[in-house]
Amino acid sequence: MQTEILIAGFGGQGVLFGGQLMAYAGMEYGKQVTWIPSYGPEMRGGTANCTVIISDEEIGSPLVRHPRVLMAFNLPSLDKYESAVAEGGLLVVNSSMVERSVDRKNVRSILIPANEIAENLGDKRLTNMVMLGAMLANQPVLPLEAVEKALEHHIPERHKRLLPMNIKALRKGAEFKPVAVK
Amino acid sequence: MQTEILIAGFGGQGVLFGGQLMAYAGMEYGKQVTWIPSYGPEMRGGTANCTVIISDEEIGSPLVRHPRVLMAFNLPSLDKYESAVAEGGLLVVNSSMVERSVDRKNVRSILIPANEIAENLGDKRLTNMVMLGAMLANQPVLPLEAVEKALEHHIPERHKRLLPMNIKALRKGAEFKPVAVK
Amino acid sequence: MAKEMMKGNEAVAEAAIRAGVQAYFGYPITPQTELLEWMSRRMPEEGRAFVQAESELAAINMVYGAACTGRRVMSSSSSPGVSLMLEGISYMAGTEVPAVIVDVMRGGPGLGNIQPSQSDYNQIVHGGGHGDYHPIVLAPCSVQESIDLTVLAFDLAEKYRSIVIILSDGSIGQMMEPAELPPMMPLKTSFPEWAVDGAAGRERRFLSSIYMDAPAEEVANMRLLNRWAKIRENEIRYKEYYLDDAEYAIVGFGSAGRVALSAVRQAREMGIKVGLLRPISLNPFPVDAIEALGKRVKGILVVEMNTGQMLDDVLLATRGKVPVEFYGRTGGVIPFPDEVVSAVQRLAAGPIVTTGHPRDRWMKFMSFLN
Amino acid sequence: MAKEMMKGNEAVAEAAIRAGVQAYFGYPITPQTELLEWMSRRMPEEGRAFVQAESELAAINMVYGAACTGRRVMSSSSSPGVSLMLEGISYMAGTEVPAVIVDVMRGGPGLGNIQPSQSDYNQIVHGGGHGDYHPIVLAPCSVQESIDLTVLAFDLAEKYRSIVIILSDGSIGQMMEPAELPPMMPLKTSFPEWAVDGAAGRERRFLSSIYMDAPAEEVANMRLLNRWAKIRENEIRYKEYYLDDAEYAIVGFGSAGRVALSAVRQAREMGIKVGLLRPISLNPFPVDAIEALGKRVKGILVVEMNTGQMLDDVLLATRGKVPVEFYGRTGGVIPFPDEVVSAVQRLAAGPIVTTGHPRDRWMKFMSFLN
Amino acid sequence: MPPKGRIEVNEDLCKGCELCVMNCPQEVIALNMERMTKRGYHPAELAKPGCTGCGICATMCPEAAITVYREVIQKPA
Amino acid sequence: MPPKGRIEVNEDLCKGCELCVMNCPQEVIALNMERMTKRGYHPAELAKPGCTGCGICATMCPEAAITVYREVIQKPA
Amino acid sequence: MTVPELDSEQVAVYQRPDALSDTNTHYCPGCTHGVAHRLIAEVVDEMGLRERMIGVASVGCSVFAYNYFDFDFVQSPHGRAPAMATGIKRVLPDRIVLTYQGDGDLASIGMAEVVHAAARGENITCIFINNTNYGMTGGQMAPTTLPGQKTTSSPNGRDVEVNGYPIRTAELLSKLDGASYVVRRSLHDPKNIRLAKKAIRTAFEVQKRGLGFSMVELLSICPTNWGMTPRQAIQWLEEKMIPFYALGDYKVNPSVADIKI
Amino acid sequence: MTVPELDSEQVAVYQRPDALSDTNTHYCPGCTHGVAHRLIAEVVDEMGLRERMIGVASVGCSVFAYNYFDFDFVQSPHGRAPAMATGIKRVLPDRIVLTYQGDGDLASIGMAEVVHAAARGENITCIFINNTNYGMTGGQMAPTTLPGQKTTSSPNGRDVEVNGYPIRTAELLSKLDGASYVVRRSLHDPKNIRLAKKAIRTAFEVQKRGLGFSMVELLSICPTNWGMTPRQAIQWLEEKMIPFYALGDYKVNPSVADIKI
Ligand SMILES: Cc1ncc(C[n+]2csc(CCOP(=O)(O)OP(=O)(O)O)c2C)c(N)n1
Ligand SMILES: Cc1ncc(C[n+]2csc(CCOP(=O)(O)OP(=O)(O)O)c2C)c(N)n1
Ligand code: SF4
Ligand code: SF4
Ligand code: SF4
Ligand code: SF4
Ligand code: SF4
Ligand code: SF4
Ligand SMILES: [Mg+2]
Ligand SMILES: [Mg+2]
């Protein structure tokens, strides 16, 4: 079994760390993992995205044309990658930043106002955790606990005190379910 | 028909110009010619040598292992190249600078005190012409006149007035004959 | 040791430190810079030499100087930076001093871009600096392999007094994967008898690449070539996947090899019996293995992230004995596995063409695409 | 025009002037220096630009700048100096600007020596700078051909917006032969529509080798490759000698080709029916001609002044269809014709070995010699 | 009395760096924190009256995003 | 009275450049035009008495070909 | 709020210069690369040089400079812009040739090329952006990084004993006979920006009159890699950079003196 | 004639230094490369450094320097000796590392490397032979060729307007903070040779004490390419070179002052 997760958004939305956290969790859970960012000449905000693959066997290509999961943190990311998601895959959309709904019919999609939830929890920087929680609850890739444990291990020292908040955010996100396909 | 002439001596003995003169003469006489010097990192006197090939057809290799003619202006040159001369070839030795005689039996050799002849003619720098004259008279490669004409055309401007002396030197050299093989 | 998640570039740097590198000289360039940055922090921590050189030209000559002392030395760069190192690399080859160089390839020619590419294969494997010499070239495809080959590189460099180039690319350099680092090796305390490090209590020594006398240079050239023959005998490395029952084979290295592995699995799911041979030592090239492969499969597909550079080496090895096709993406584009699957399907479907050059057939295919 | 005796290096310089070169940038290095010295005198005489650059690195980038204006530009150097030019050459290739570069090869690697050699074949033809690109490479074997190919080089460079490298060597550069120079061509007065020379009365233009977006770089790579396909179609040049009735053939370029010509004559005197194919365009390589040759002779001998670099291209062309042997001298040693005759004799005598690599058989032979 | 002036900020170009804001001698420029440009920046704008058209903001602007207007003062003939 | 000295020229090394000759304050060195060294140069040598062992010739010699000797002057105790 | 339109007659006293193209830059907010670009464009407009200009972009954050100017441009390998400019100028001596280079580009990898262009008195102008680091590649130490300054490749601060001393480029090049006009200016406030513009103008006049090599070094901010807001960066430049990199004229060929601008 | 042996007790007051190997040099008669070699060897002997020395030969007539010294040596690519020396010094900080470079090597192709070695305060010593031309390759123009001087690549004499101005390297490097000791000396007469030796000694002391970069520029003759006898060349150096390349101390770090030699 192999699951590919493409996470895309603006720089500063925690996209890269969110992906790394999945990779750490996968590793600690005994899976094969790769994490690969897109990188550009821009030192300067702009877009950020990464692909995480979590698999039971040696991972081949670190990039795939049709990832099983897309987590779109903003509109340009949804526009760019919506069509790429594998049939039957999962699409997690940060509806705080994306005003439109999802066009694809043959994927499951979660629309989650991740910014607002994060802000309600007290810190805008929790957006990525909210998104991750929603994904984890709806894609059988890793148990939520594995990610919580990884978070404990890998949250930067200076943010240690925010750990409970992060876990809360994950769990809050996990409450979301795919919208019914019309 | 192809004749290869290896001319070797000290820097300053007119070795390179002697070779070039043969090449000019060959060209003007309608032959194919190549002239190739050995070149080294030494800016500093030392040895100088060049190979001239005069031929009726397109010239292949500009260097040959066994040149038909060797003109040895000094002892190191004779030591180094004596054994290379083709069987039946010609060896012209500047006996002013070389005290030993020639070892090879299967070549013709001319021992000519070129320095002294040149000095007698009034200029040590005529040594190369003396040597050339001796060679030309004994190797059917080009008529002496062809070389005299080439000399007229190619003697450096500042030496123009020395032309008659040079021609004299050529002719003087041409009086020499190979020594009898013992 | 436990596995850690590491970026390819940083893993190479730390592996070199564990392998006892005593001096690192480099210059920033994307997508290699993390390697230099890691060294800038870790080398001083370990009391070893780190210099951010004024250029790649200076860096390689610092490497050259330090290598002459017999210590373990390293530099790293990416494509344009490596071009600037070629004079120095040729000198080191001529002087027979060991060193490890990492090339994290990006799109070219010229400034090109900073995306992953394999378009320096020819430069690194065949061409490079002037003169007759052969660097050992190792191509990792993962973070773990980057580590393992870095350690190996130092050993081979010393064993053969050779330059060893780790030919990586932007994707391997930037990617994070769990990997295990080797334990910290103690620094060397004895040095080879050719090392120039001060004539204390011994005759003086010197190291140079000059042989003013052509026959002496020829002897040196032949010594290098004979050593290269030994390297060819002993140091060929490659990995086979699903080849046991394969009717078709893909040959691809590094990132392209990984993509090919995914493609092989997908194609097998579709019932095509295809396997993969992934050269790890690009120089020496696994000629015999590929020749043998050519004899047992119906067709070979070469996959690269360039316009078909290793392809010629595969053709040299197979000598027209088996149909060879090529699929490449260039300029920093990484092929997706499904593109490679399609290429395998085309190969398996036939009709099998053996005239003309596989590159020309691929070009025609690409021109339909664009 | 009448023939004049000229040194190879000077003949190239004067030919370039006659062909309308408008700027020359170079740096002294033996055995190329006469070319630069000639330019230092003649270019100002003609009111054209001559700069002795501070290095080869600077020289090639001066060439790059001047080439961007669409004017005819040139540089020259010898092996180590050419290594320093490779980044710039790759940039020029990526920017698609024309230029003519002369490499008067000497013994290597490293500082090596200054004797004639052909050991930069791989560097110039296959490797060189980073990235996917192909310079046109022309190899003269005489002073006359040096002149003719120089003139041709400028035309091809412009026609294909390509770098053209004249691959000469110390012996051709230093030798004097009678040769005929072309008449003085008028300088160009109209310039290509890509030239950057000030936006007077037109939209601004720029030239760069950057394609930050990988797919755009891929398009550029494919454009270069398609142009290369055209060049391969139109610009292959080689010369055949005594091949009509030949049972054996030698393949050799430049100086080695001349030596081979002498050897062919000697061997024919001995009754061996051998001919010579001398590639003039090393890139594009006369693949088809050699493949065809392979089909009509009993064996091919490749002669080079290196350890067998073009050899691999011959093997690629012949694809195992004909026995190939190799004879090389390296490090600045020029083979004498009689050595090549012996190699022909060995080839003709058989038994003909087809296993293993011709280079390995040659190495064994050389180790007996030394 | 200082001349009266006005600025126009090209919001396609403005990146909200505040170099204009911090240098305006009249302190009349501010970022509009309520709007974002297409590129995701809060644009600078004239926030109060009092602009003299001195041009200092434009002198500072790295994006050449500011056009400055000034009233023409009729000199007595 | 100046001290008495002497020089020895290593003829394997001397290239007859005359830098010693032109700098000897006593003008006692000259090239020997009658002999040539193995390498074909006329070697320098002490040509007259008067050498003081001052060492200037050795200071000039690019080939480090000169050894300089000087008499030991016993100082009165 | 809305500011009312002026009711009296009004005139545009400052407008975006023509010589800038209508492209958005990729520079970070506040990056003074943009200011330097604008000044060059203003001078080109004022001198009416647009049709005679040829720019040489270098490798660094300004690598895309060729996109931002509305005149001819080429793009050079890292550090080699003065050599490319030489090649251009020698075949087209009546064009105004400009290099635009960062401190990594000009003072590190390109040191030989700029020294020799200056020594040759090459009749070109170098605009040299000193922002104490390698902006493009993510903030590594440059030859201009201040003692003690932390960068991604001097993580504990530049230790001059190990990493070497910063290079004062204007001072260095001023020692060369071929250099006609070598000055240092700063881009941190309006007054200095005006002086910087004047220097660029002078440099172009020097080139126009064939007086030889000119270089304008511009102290510049890199908020992104300094880890500061643009405001903080401006202050840092003023407080830390200027004391180390004194502003002033380092070489002014006497015949430059009578250039009145 | 024969000069009689001294009869009184005699002692060798000058002998060939041990640190020179017993090899014949390939230098032309009178070439002061030989003098520079001898001085280095004398200083090495006097300071007892033979076992700690590592030399870096460059490309130029001194390319074979490694043959002439009886201590460890490497040979560098053209111009890159300061970089090689840096590599060596960084791994072996207690060795005395020396580059020996010509003016083509150091001041032309190798300009970036020497400037940066100096800027880094790299604790090495460069011996810099200024003979106003590229000796090895047959006398082309160098960055040091005097205005008007004819060379094989400036056949009508160096025209500073076209070929550029000569570089005064010692002056240039003296502008760098990392440079501790930068001086120019000449090899044309005994007095100056003694001063040159003292400077080499000081430079080695500077390095021994870890004070940073040192360079001794030595004006040197090239009779062969100048087309002169050694005598004439010495005179030309004195009359033409010294007025242009003023002898003196260009940078002496205060802590060098208390080096007494
Ligand atoms: C030969 C080569 N080496 C390294 C690089 C990578 N590189 C790109 S930009 C840059 C540094 C630019 O810094 P600077 O010149 O200071 O410009 P800034 O970005 O600070 O304006 C480097 C090292 C390259 N492109 N080419
Ligand atoms: C990369 C490279 N370019 C050019 C050369 C050729 N070359 C050899 S020595 C030399 C010049 C040496 O001149 P200089 O440094 O002044 O030393 P000198 O011979 O005058 O003592 C040159 C250009 C080379 N060997 N390598
Ligand atoms: S200075 Fe320019 S870019 Fe910055 S906020 Fe003001 S208008 Fe916007
Ligand atoms: S023109 Fe002057 S007063 Fe008006 S906004 Fe700009 S800086 Fe302020
Ligand atoms: S200085 Fe030395 S080499 Fe020159 S002549 Fe005197 S002894 Fe001979
Ligand atoms: S030691 Fe002094 S006096 Fe004696 S020969 Fe030498 S220079 Fe002359
Ligand atoms: S990284 Fe620095 S120099 Fe580059 S654009 Fe951003 S602020 Fe400017
Ligand atoms: S060419 Fe000049 S520098 Fe070289 S050895 Fe001869 S005199 Fe000395
Ligand atoms: Mg910078
Ligand atoms: Mg010199």
Side-chain angles (χ1 to χ4, degrees), chain D residues 223-296:
Chain D
R223 179 170 64 244
L224 287 179
L225 193 61
N226 282 313
R227 190 177 302 156
W228 183 244
K230 286 240 166 55
I231 295 172
R232 280 193 295 145
E233 249 167 56
N234 301 330
E235 308 300 346
I236 286 176
R237 287 172 169 80
Y238 55 90
K239 199 167 163 187
E240 297 187 338
Y241 305 81
Y242 306 97
L243 279 179
D244 288 346
D245 64 340
E247 293 174 2
Y248 299 93
I250 305 184
V251 180
F253 71 94
S255 288
R258 280 184 80 136
V259 174
L261 175 58
S262 295
V264 162
R265 292 196 188 120
Q266 285 179 30
R268 283 205 166 245
E269 275 173 28
M270 302 161 93
I272 306 176
K273 286 197 173 154
V274 59
L276 167 68
L277 187 148
R278 180 170 62 80
I280 293 173
S281 60
L282 300 183
N283 215 23
F285 193 69
V287 175
D288 294 345
I290 289 174
E291 189 182 1
L293 184 65
K295 287 179 183 149
R296 80 186 200 253

Side-chain angles (χ1 to χ4, degrees), chain E residues 7 23-29 46 50-58 68:
Chain E
I7 65 169
N23 279 282
C24 171
Q26 310 304 327
E27 301 185 9
V28 295
I29 321 180
L46 211 49
C51 170
T52 61
C54 68
I56 283 178
C57 51
V68 182

Side-chain angles (χ1 to χ4, degrees), chain E residues 4-6 8 10 12-19 21-23 28 39 41 45-51 53-74, chain G residues 1-17 20 22-35 37-39 42 187-191 193-194 221 230-231 234-235:
Chain E
K4 279 192 209 149
R6 181 172 66 86
E8 263 171 26
N10 180 336
D12 274 357
L13 300 172
C14 174
K15 288 180 181 158
C17 70
E18 297 195 291
L19 293 192
V21 175
M22 69 188 275
N23 279 282
V28 295
R39 297 195 153 65
Y41 300 112
E45 61 178 26
L46 211 49
K48 328 181 203 166
C51 170
C54 68
I56 283 178
C57 51
T59 303
M60 289 303 299
C61 179
E63 304 299 331
I66 303 179
T67 311
V68 182
Y69 299 91
R70 201 188 299 158
E71 67 175 350
V72 181
I73 297 172
Q74 244 74 26
Chain G
M1 63 147 282
T2 12
V3 177
E5 299 271 308
L6 296 183
D7 18 49
S8 59
E9 200 184 334
Q10 52 175 285
V11 57
V13 291
Y14 184 82
Q15 275 177 304
R16 187 176 168 86
L20 283 184
D22 284 330
T23 320
N24 252 281
T25 74
H26 69 296
Y27 297 115
C28 306
C31 178
T32 41
H33 266 302
V35 177
H37 282 25
R38 208 194 63 226
L39 300 183
E42 289 175 14
L187 301 177
H188 71 286
D189 67 18
K191 184 181 130 233
I193 289 175
R194 270 181 230 116
I221 62 169
R231 268 177 199 272
I234 291 279
Q235 199 177 341

